[in-house]
Amino acid sequence: MDGHRLKIGNIEAAVPVIQGGMGVGISLGNLAGAVAKVGGIGVISAAQIGFREPDFDSDTKAANLRAIRKEYEKARAIAPDGIIGFNLMVAMRHYEEYVQAAVEAGADIIISGAGLPTELPKIAGESDVKLSPIVSTEKSAKVILKYWGKKYGRMPDLLVIEGPKAGGHLGFTREQLKEYGKDESYDQEIRRILYTVKIYEEQYQCKIPVALGGGIENYEQAMHAFSLGADAIQVATRFVTTKECDADIRYKEAYIKAEEQDIAIVKSPVGMPGRAIMNPFMKRVMSGERIPHSPCHQCLYSCNPAEIPYCITDALIHAAKGEVDDALLFCGAHAYKAKRLETVKEVVASLLSERV
């Protein structure tokens, strides 16, 4: 893939690697800046991004809005000429204000999933920020492309396809996860999504670059994604065990220590399936124990604090701080393959060159 660049409208990444957004506090300004510095697209997760701010408990929204700018400026200082974006979940409360804060901070691109970002073009307004919805199925791709075309007369600047081997919350039901359990099964879904994209490209006379993510952790998998027709790959888990990742070293070590049998599909407190490393905390949850939690930090629309078995904000903050026995340790399907700490530069090189 030497010389293969990713063009998104009038911006261009030197290497076709997008670092996936990981919250809470896993992909912040340091990791995003490091990825952008080596020519990829660095992505800051805005999910409860202000968890280290002094007023996070008393005024979560203000803390998050302030941290969006701070983390962007941190990344931009590392990569003055790099491409830096934000991952923003549609399911977040105050989504619109967080999108606007990312735009005002100077983001080059906003990647948005955990629901279909139908109103993202309206929220972003006339700004130059590139907009990228995340889809997982042909059906969701058709819905977002048709809606954006009909309502806004425009197409996404980039489309991210996130497959069933991704980490964190997954855009599939448990039944779909079983259906797409074999690579060749989901390959067919990818081809259907790409065919849909081609139809809309012809209709709107534009290029919609596509990034494929979910379980991509080596050169062979990256090349397979490109052979299917992807313009770029989105990679998250491989970047956790880098020296530049914003997470605590104990979080990174949990990946390095994990065995294949330790990785499981779990149910998050908001009812969505996700992939995580089994640990004492998750065993307590799966045994039916209700974990006491902090006052609500207004993270997701679908959460009812009175009914949840544990607080996902609390559990993910514990993870970012390295309190791994009391944490939800989200990860991708191949997290157990991490054996050592690497640099971002080494990870990108290993994904794009068989000579590494």
Side-chain angles (χ1 to χ4, degrees), residues 63-74:
N64 286 335
L65 291 171
R66 188 183 317 115
I68 283 173
R69 179 170 291 278
K70 287 170 70 170
E71 294 300 331
Y72 174 80
E73 290 176 350
K74 185 193 299 181

Side-chain angles (χ1 to χ4, degrees), residues 218-281:
N218 61 32
Y219 174 79
E220 290 73 22
Q221 291 163 350
M223 292 308 106
H224 180 66
F226 292 121
S227 74
L228 290 171
D231 300 283
I233 53 173
Q234 178 179 274
V235 178
T237 294
R238 276 295 303 277
F239 288 114
V240 169
T241 49
T242 59
K243 296 173 183 177
E244 298 93 335
C245 178
D246 295 272
D248 186 276
I249 184 62
R250 290 167 292 181
Y251 183 94
K252 302 174 189 184
E253 288 171 346
Y255 276 49
I256 294 170
K257 294 173 184 175
E259 302 292 341
E260 184 173 6
Q261 63 267 24
D262 296 327
I263 296 172
I265 300 297
V266 301
K267 184 178 179 181
S268 90
V270 293
M272 300 163 66
R275 180 173 281 107
I277 297 173
M278 291 300 295
N279 64 346
F281 174 82

Side-chain angles (χ1 to χ4, degrees), residues 99-100 103 119-129 131 154:
V99 169
Q100 290 169 347
V103 172
E119 305 307 311
L120 183 56
K122 180 181 73 174
I123 301 168
E126 299 301 315
S127 70
D128 294 330
V129 67
L131 305 179
R154 64 161 294 173

Side-chain angles (χ1 to χ4, degrees), residues 20-299:
M22 296 173 282
V24 172
I26 309 304
S27 64
L28 297 175
N30 200 58
L31 177 58
V35 174
K37 186 176 181 179
V38 300
I41 296 179
V43 178
I44 299 164
S45 169
Q48 301 295 54
I49 190 172
F51 73 101
R52 287 195 172 98
E53 294 293 303
D55 56 346
F56 179 72
D57 290 335
S58 60
D59 194 345
T60 303
K61 184 174 74 170
N64 286 335
L65 291 171
R66 188 183 317 115
I68 283 173
R69 179 170 291 278
K70 287 170 70 170
E71 294 300 331
Y72 174 80
E73 290 176 350
K74 185 193 299 181
R76 182 55 70 200
I78 295 168
D81 301 315
I83 301 175
I84 297 164
F86 281 86
N87 181 289
L88 291 149
M89 298 188 298
V90 178
M92 292 192 304
R93 296 178 189 269
H94 313 298
Y95 172 74
E96 182 170 338
E97 289 163 275
Y98 294 146
V99 169
Q100 290 169 347
V103 172
E104 291 168 8
D108 295 304
I109 186 168
I110 289 174
I111 298 173
S112 191
L116 287 177
T118 52
E119 305 307 311
L120 183 56
K122 180 181 73 174
I123 301 168
E126 299 301 315
S127 70
D128 294 330
V129 67
K130 302 296 185 274
L131 305 179
S132 174
I134 298 173
V135 300
S136 294
T137 62
E138 177 192 23
K139 181 179 179 181
S140 57
K142 284 182 173 178
V143 169
I144 201 71
L145 292 170
K146 182 179 180 180
Y147 189 90
W148 279 26
K150 186 174 181 180
K151 186 163 185 178
Y152 306 111
R154 64 161 294 173
M155 288 290 101
D157 299 295
L158 171 77
L159 188 75
V160 174
I161 302 174
E162 205 165 271
K165 293 186 177 180
H169 285 130
L170 302 170
F172 302 91
T173 63
R174 283 186 174 267
E175 291 71 26
Q176 286 176 317
L177 289 172
K178 291 179 182 178
E179 177 187 347
Y180 296 131
K182 296 182 179 180
D183 290 338
E184 57 268 23
S185 175
Y186 194 64
D187 282 357
Q188 292 302 316
E189 189 72 11
I190 292 167
R191 292 186 180 99
R192 286 189 285 267
I193 295 171
L194 291 172
Y195 180 74
T196 297
V197 168
K198 185 177 180 181
I199 290 172
Y200 280 88
E201 284 180 326
E202 293 173 354
Q203 182 178 342
Y204 286 88
Q205 293 295 294
C206 67
K207 168 65 178 172
I208 308 170
V210 175
L212 178 58
I216 297 175
E217 56 92 28
N218 61 32
Y219 174 79
E220 290 73 22
Q221 291 163 350
M223 292 308 106
H224 180 66
F226 292 121
S227 74
L228 290 171
D231 300 283
I233 53 173
Q234 178 179 274
V235 178
T237 294
R238 276 295 303 277
F239 288 114
V240 169
T241 49
T242 59
K243 296 173 183 177
E244 298 93 335
C245 178
D246 295 272
D248 186 276
I249 184 62
R250 290 167 292 181
Y251 183 94
K252 302 174 189 184
E253 288 171 346
Y255 276 49
I256 294 170
K257 294 173 184 175
E259 302 292 341
E260 184 173 6
Q261 63 267 24
D262 296 327
I263 296 172
I265 300 297
V266 301
K267 184 178 179 181
S268 90
V270 293
M272 300 163 66
R275 180 173 281 107
I277 297 173
M278 291 300 295
N279 64 346
F281 174 82
M282 190 47 60
K283 290 175 181 176
R284 290 167 62 195
V285 171
M286 294 182 77
S287 71
E289 183 178 344
R290 292 176 67 88
I291 312 295
H293 56 80
S294 64
C296 182
H297 288 89
Q298 300 288 303
C299 62

Side-chain angles (χ1 to χ4, degrees), residues 291-333:
I291 312 295
H293 56 80
S294 64
C296 182
H297 288 89
Q298 300 288 303
C299 62
L300 302 175
Y301 278 111
S302 53
C303 179
N304 182 342
E307 298 177 357
I308 54 174
Y310 67 95
C311 170
I312 194 165
T313 287
D314 288 352
L316 292 175
I317 288 175
H318 286 312
K321 290 181 175 179
E323 299 159 359
V324 294
D325 287 343
D326 295 309
L328 171 59
L329 303 174
F330 273 153
C331 69

